[in-house]
Amino acid sequence: MNRKRVALVSGGNRGIGLAIVEGLAEQGMTVLLGCRDLAEGQGIAKTLTGDVQAVELDLATQQSVERCIGQISFSYPLVDILINNAAILDDSEFSDLTYDKLVESMHVNTFAPFLLSQHFGALMAKNGYGRIVNVSSGWGASSGLLDSPPAYGLSKSTLNALTRITAQANSGNVKVNVMCPGWVKTRMGGAAATRTPFGAAKTALWLANLEDDGPTGKFFRDNKEIDW
């Protein structure tokens, strides 16, 4: 490849996403820091080393996602790597969970990654190269689902299924995998968490740089395959 690879990271303004952005930039890529608040993203990008460009990426609705996809594709028609990292955690118990809260979780955590993967995956297939990495959770695995807040577990379990379906739909040199970062010291994970964002980002960075004979349609933690 004679040009720098271009990577798009959703939720790249903090936590695991920011660690992934920094890691990919250190590898010499052009990294698109996806952030709902473009001004905030631009401010963060200015503090980072490497070729990091902030782009608006609002995952709240189908319309906002499609609008942002159009803007990103206009400026960066070739995206080689997509990291679906952004997520929300609704901790409502089942009895208190409203339909609207469930839909919001499903949209940000699953439907938006579907829209992004469908669009950029098609372009990757056309270009003959692509890596899609979905950031899920152990709560999305069947063994952890019942320990999870319902909206979060449902959305991440569906993201895992989406990964397998997307991988099957993208043959050739487009690799689609999902990862569990573990319990991470972020705004979502809390101060008591046992892992740093940089430690959690390592698996995403590995999956973003898989060799052509690398795995696809698999679930990983710490670079090792785990059960669905």
Side-chain angles (χ1 to χ4, degrees):
M1 183 176 291
N2 295 324
R3 60 177 177 82
K4 290 199 296 184
R5 286 180 176 160
V6 178
L8 171 60
V9 183
S10 71
N13 55 309
R14 62 174 180 266
I16 300 169
L18 180 56
I20 294 170
V21 166
E22 293 184 273
L24 294 173
E26 288 175 0
Q27 296 171 1
M29 298 184 192
T30 296
V31 186
L32 309 181
L33 186 161
C35 182
R36 184 174 185 176
D37 185 330
L38 181 57
E40 177 187 346
Q42 290 171 333
I44 293 169
K46 290 178 181 178
T47 69
L48 304 179
T49 301
D51 186 6
V52 179
Q53 308 297 325
V55 295
E56 183 184 0
L57 192 51
D58 183 351
L59 307 185
T61 67
Q62 177 184 352
Q63 292 74 22
S64 66
V65 175
E66 291 177 344
R67 174 178 54 81
C68 292
I69 285 175
Q71 294 172 344
I72 293 168
S73 294
F74 179 80
S75 300
Y76 302 94
L78 297 176
V79 172
D80 306 288
I81 298 163
L82 169 64
I83 313 290
N84 285 309
N85 163 76
I88 59 174
L89 172 59
D90 185 295
D91 60 1
S92 301
E93 297 292 336
F94 185 80
S95 58
D96 298 321
L97 179 61
T98 66
Y99 177 82
D100 288 343
K101 287 182 178 181
L102 176 58
V103 168
E104 181 183 22
S105 292
M106 292 297 294
H107 200 282
V108 173
N109 297 355
T110 309
F111 299 160
F114 158 71
L115 292 169
L116 291 163
S117 297
Q118 186 181 58
H119 177 84
F120 289 108
L123 296 177
M124 292 172 185
K126 184 177 180 180
N127 295 328
Y129 179 89
R131 302 290 182 265
I132 299 175
V133 182
N134 294 324
V135 179
S136 183
S137 168
W139 277 344
S142 58
S143 59
L145 180 60
L146 296 183
D147 296 323
S148 168
Y152 188 76
L154 281 168
S155 64
K156 289 300 187 178
S157 180
T158 309
L159 180 64
N160 287 1
L162 174 65
T163 300
R164 302 177 74 178
I165 292 169
T166 309
Q168 185 181 54
N170 286 277
S171 58
N173 199 17
V174 178
K175 310 294 182 183
V176 186
N177 292 287
V178 65
M179 59 162 283
C180 166
W183 188 21
V184 186
K185 293 181 184 292
T186 62
R187 189 168 73 177
M188 181 183 293
T194 56
R195 313 193 81 180
T196 67
F198 292 100
K202 290 180 180 179
T203 300
L205 296 174
W206 170 63
L207 291 171
N209 288 279
L210 285 176
E211 297 294 333
D212 293 350
D213 60 351
T216 190
K218 304 296 183 181
F219 192 10
F220 293 93
R221 177 174 176 173
D222 296 330
N223 297 21
K224 297 179 180 178
E225 187 175 350
I226 60 176
D227 292 334
W228 296 101

